[in-house]
C-alpha cells in the first residue's frame, strides 16, 4: 500500500501592490498540474519576513476585510511604539504580523490538486504598503501515476 | 545511513461540541500504529477555516482554560466589530483565531509513535459554538521496518 | 526530472538563559553540511510548549527587541490573569506565546544549506525566564548528490 516518494521544487513570484491578502490557490494548482507527481504533499515557503502565508475562507470579501482590520488594530502603525523605524511606519508591524501568521504551510495533494476543504483558499498576506515582488518556494513530495 | 522514503495518507474525523480544545494525540498514535511506516514524519492538515490545530501542554486543564480565555479576550465575539456576521457572532472570531494558530503541523515519528516532548499533546481547537464534524488529513512519510 | 527521496533525522540542543530570541541558522546549516542529502526540505520541531520557533529578520537587533516587547505587552506576566500559576508568572504567558508562534517549520534545502530569503534567520524563542536546555528535532528529506 505504501509508495516510494519522489520530489520536485519550483518557485512562484507574486507581485503585490499594498497591504492586502492575495489568493494564490489557482497559481499553486496551475504549477501542480504541470508536475509529474500526482499524490502527496506540497509545502510552500515564503522567502520574506514582512509578508506571510495563511489558509482562509475565500468565499467572502468581508472575511478578508475583517481579518486585515483586526491585525491593523492589534499591531498599530505607530512609530512611537517601535525602535526599528528606518524603513517606514509599516515595517515593524509587518514583521510582527508575519510572526503571528505563517512562513511555511504543508498542504495535501490529490490528483495534481491541493486537497482543500470546501471554503479553503491559500493566501499571500502582504504587510507592506509599497509594491513588492514576493518569492514563494514550492516543494512537492509524493508519487507519480506510474 | 539514509533511507528511501515511503508515504501513506489517511483521514481523521473529530466530532466537536462547542468552543474547546480537543486532544487528538491518541487518535493520531492509533492511526500510526496501523501503518507500515515506522520512522519519519507525520503532517496533519485541518480542512477548515474556523477550527485549527496546536501543540500544547496536556497535563493541566487550567492551561487549556487560560488559553481559551486569552483568545476570547483578544478576539471578542462582538458583532459590531466585524462586517461578516451572517453566520453568527462566533464566526468571524473563529476565522481570526484560526489564523493566529495552525492549519498544518509536522511532527516527527519514531517506532510508530509521534516523537513528542514530555508535556506535548496535539489538539484540535474548535472555535465555533455549535456541534461540528471536523476533518483532518494525515500524511505520513518515512521508512518501514524492512 | 523527479528524484527519489531519502531522509535523515537528528537533534539540536540549545541552552537558553532567559526570554530572548536565539538565532539557530548556523547550527542548522552546520548539521546539514554533515548530511549526505544535498537538496530537499528540512523540518524542525521543538519538543516544548513554553519555547517556540520562528523565521525573522536577522539584520537588526531592534527588530528582535520590538518583537519581544510586543509579545510581552500582548500577553502580560500578571498572575491575576491566569488560573495556572504554579510554575511562576512567566509560565502561562510562555504557553500562550508558543501558541501564537510556531512549533514546527519546514524550510527548503539547496546544496546542503537552507534556501532562505536575504534577510531571513531561524530563531528559537525562549519564553521562560530561567535557564533551559531546549531540544529541537531535525528531519531532512531530499536527494543525495549521486
Amino acid at each position: 500500500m505504501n509508495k516510494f516518494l519522489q520530489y520536485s521544487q519550483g518557485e512562484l513570484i507574486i507581485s503585490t501592490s499594498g497591504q492586502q491578502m492575495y489568493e494564490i490557490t489557482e497559481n499553486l494548482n496551475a504549477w501542480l498540474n504541470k508536475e509529474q507527481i500526482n499524490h502527496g504533499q506540497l509545502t510552500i515557503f515564503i522567502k520574506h519576513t514582512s509578508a506571510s502565508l495563511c489558509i482562509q475562507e475565500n468565499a467572502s470579501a468581508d472575511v478578508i476585510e475583517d481579518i486585515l482590520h483586526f491585525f491593523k488594530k492589534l499591531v498599530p502603525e505607530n512609530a512611537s511604539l517601535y525602535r526599528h523605524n528606518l524603513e517606514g511606519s509599516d515595517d515593524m508591524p509587518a514583521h510582527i504580523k508575519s510572526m503571528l501568521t505563517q512562513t511555511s504551510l504543508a498542504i495535501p495533494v490529490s490528483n495534481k490538486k491541493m486537497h482543500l476543504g470546501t471554503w479553503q483558499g491559500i493566501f499571500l498576506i502582504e504587510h507592506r504598503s509599497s509594491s513588492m515582488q514576493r518569492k514563494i518556494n514550492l516543494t512537492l513530495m509524493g508519487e507519480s501515476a506510474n
Side-chain angles (χ1 to χ4, degrees), chain A residues 13 15 23 26-28 40 48 68 88 93 115:
Chain A
I13 298 180
S15 297
E23 188 169 4
E26 285 319 307
N27 307 254
L28 294 171
H48 306 276
L68 292 170
H115 189 55

Side-chain angles (χ1 to χ4, degrees), chain A residues 8-38:
Chain A
S8 175
Q9 288 186 313
E11 191 177 63
L12 201 63
I13 298 180
I14 304 288
S15 297
T16 65
S17 47
Q19 294 180 31
Q20 190 52 255
M21 287 171 63
Y22 299 84
E23 188 169 4
I24 57 171
T25 314
E26 285 319 307
N27 307 254
L28 294 171
N29 278 333
W31 183 79
L32 287 171
N33 195 250
K34 292 183 303 185
E35 294 297 309
Q36 301 304 312
I37 294 170
N38 295 44

